Each structure stands twice: as structure tokens, then as C-alpha cells.
């Protein structure tokens, strides 16, 4: 059974493994990732990695579930401002493109259809409850809360690493990102407005 670090030194090694593995999995996927590269980058050894995480699959699980926790905590939903939530997601994808790449590899290598994780309710229930509440209050259009959530997230990812048109980069000029944020905000506001899209920008 995997162990957890008991010392500050162990915790630092644990963190280095997670950071190195996140980059490795985001770049190469689950099948293509190599433990040798991870332990070299993390300045540790295979025995320590396996003691902390068990095997490569469970290491990926720890990283991917951690990425879902991060996006939930760092960019919490505001059902009364879904447009603002979409813009904050856009910004997080710029800061952490690896989060999207990990989800993409999960879709490609593990779950081509349906939810990405079995424990999806842990990450989605709060969002769905918030959207349903905003709908009941007349602030968000009618519809399945899950579909509305999925649509807003998809719109926020229009320029993310999963785009089949163009992937944005945080090194682009600020005015380019501001233009996209404004467009995204307006489109999400109109798409989710309770009056069917007649909301003023």
C-alpha cells in the first residue's frame, strides 16, 4: 500500500515527484510517460516513487485527481456570473495548460465516452446545485444544469490546448487575451441568460 511522507524531506521529494510527473504525463500521456525520466527530474529513485504512489497508473491518478481539485478550488463556480466564471477558467488554462492536457490524455487513453472519472459527483455536484439554484431564481436559462455547465466549460476552453482551431499562450500580447475575454464573457452571458439571450452586454 502506498505510503505518505512522514518528514519535511520526504514531503519535498513527494512534491518534486508530483511536479515532474505532471510535466511528463502532460507531455507524453499515460502510456508514453517514463518513470526513469520522472525520477531523474525529481532527483529521487524508483523505490521512493513506488513507495509513495504504488505504480505509474496510481501516480497518474494522484496527479489527475489533484488537477480536478485544483480547478475546483482555484476557480469556484459563481452561478450568478457564469460569464465571469468562464473567463476565470480561460485564465487558469493559460496559467496551467497541463491541466487540460491531462484531461485530454485521460479521454484518449482511458475514457473515450462518458464522465472522465467515476467520482465525478465530487467535482460536479456543487456546480450543478449552484446552477439549479440560479435557474430557480430566474437568473439562468432553463435546461439541464449539467448541459449548461458543460457548455460554459466548453466555451471557456475554446482557445485551450484542446482547441482544434487555435491554442492560446500566456506569452501572447495582453490585448489579445482581453479581446478574447470580452468575447467569451458576452457569448456566455447571452447563451445562459434567463431571457433566452436578450441580455445586454
Amino acid at each position: 500500500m502506498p505510503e505518505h511522507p512522514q518528514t519535511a524531506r520526504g514531503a519535498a521529494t513527494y512534491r518534486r515527484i508530483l511536479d515532474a510527473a505532471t510535466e511528463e504525463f502532460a507531455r507524453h500521456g499515460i502510456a508514453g510517460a517514463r518513470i526513469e525520466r520522472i525520477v531523474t527530474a525529481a532527483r529521487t529513485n524508483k523505490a521512493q516513487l513506488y513507495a509513495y504512489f504504488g505504480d505509474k497508473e496510481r501516480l497518474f491518478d494522484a496527479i489527475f485527481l489533484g488537477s480536478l481539485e485544483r480547478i475546483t478550488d482555484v476557480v469556484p463556480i459563481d452561478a450568478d456570473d457564469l460569464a465571469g466564471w468562464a473567463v476565470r477558467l480561460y485564465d487558469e488554462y493559460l496559467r496551467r495548460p497541463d491541466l487540460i492536457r491531462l484531461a485530454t490524455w485521460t479521454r484518449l487513453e482511458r475514457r473515450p465516452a462518458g464522465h472522465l472519472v467515476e467520482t465525478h459527483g465530487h467535482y460536479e455536484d456543487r456546480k450543478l446545485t449552484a446552477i439549479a439554484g440560479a435557474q430557480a431564481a430566474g437568473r439562468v436559462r432553463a435546461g439541464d444544469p449539467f448541459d449548461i455547465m458543460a457548455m460554459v466549460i466548453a466555451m471557456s476552453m475554446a482557445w485551450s490546448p484542446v482547441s482544434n482551431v487555435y491554442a492560446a499562450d500566456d506569452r501572447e500580447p495582453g490585448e489579445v487575451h482581453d479581446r478574447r475575454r470580452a468575447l467569451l464573457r458576452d457569448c456566455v452571458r447571452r447563451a445562459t441568460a434567463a431571457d433566452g439571450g436578450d441580455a445586454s452586454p
Side-chain angles (χ1 to χ4, degrees), residues 33-195:
R34 294 291 176 264
I35 293 298
E36 292 80 2
R37 289 195 293 254
I38 294 172
V39 296
T40 297
R43 304 190 309 280
T44 186
N45 54 66
K46 291 182 182 180
Q48 192 70 78
L49 183 149
Y50 290 135
Y52 286 149
F53 298 100
D55 57 29
K56 186 168 80 166
E57 291 285 334
R58 279 183 281 185
L59 173 58
F60 180 83
D61 289 340
I63 290 167
F64 182 54
L65 294 178
S67 76
L68 295 180
E69 291 285 355
R70 174 186 167 83
I71 202 75
T72 300
D73 293 342
V74 174
V75 193
I77 190 171
D78 180 353
D80 291 326
D81 183 17
L82 291 173
W85 182 49
V87 170
R88 291 193 301 277
L89 287 171
Y90 171 91
D91 287 336
E92 184 64 8
Y93 301 149
L94 282 178
R95 283 189 293 269
R96 293 293 304 275
D98 54 292
L99 302 180
I100 298 301
R101 294 190 181 107
L102 291 171
T104 303
W105 285 114
T106 301
R107 183 64 77 199
L108 288 171
E109 298 189 61
R110 283 185 168 178
R111 293 175 176 264
H115 293 283
L116 277 176
V117 294
E118 293 181 6
T119 56
H120 57 88
H122 173 73
Y123 307 101
E124 296 172 356
D125 286 352
R126 184 170 56 181
K127 299 181 182 73
L128 301 180
T129 298
I131 292 172
Q135 289 174 315
R139 294 190 291 271
V140 172
R141 70 181 303 148
D144 187 321
F146 180 86
D147 290 340
I148 292 196
M149 177 192 72
M151 180 185 66
V152 173
I153 291 173
M155 293 171 77
S156 75
M157 295 168 64
W159 298 274
S160 79
V162 298
S163 173
N164 61 1
V165 178
Y166 184 83
D169 188 282
D170 62 2
R171 292 168 294 185
E172 292 175 288
E175 58 268 23
V176 172
H177 293 300
D178 288 342
R179 186 178 68 240
R180 292 179 189 140
R181 291 183 186 105
L183 176 63
L184 176 62
R185 186 183 301 277
D186 185 50
C187 288
V188 172
R189 183 187 291 119
R190 291 176 183 274
T192 60
D195 58 11

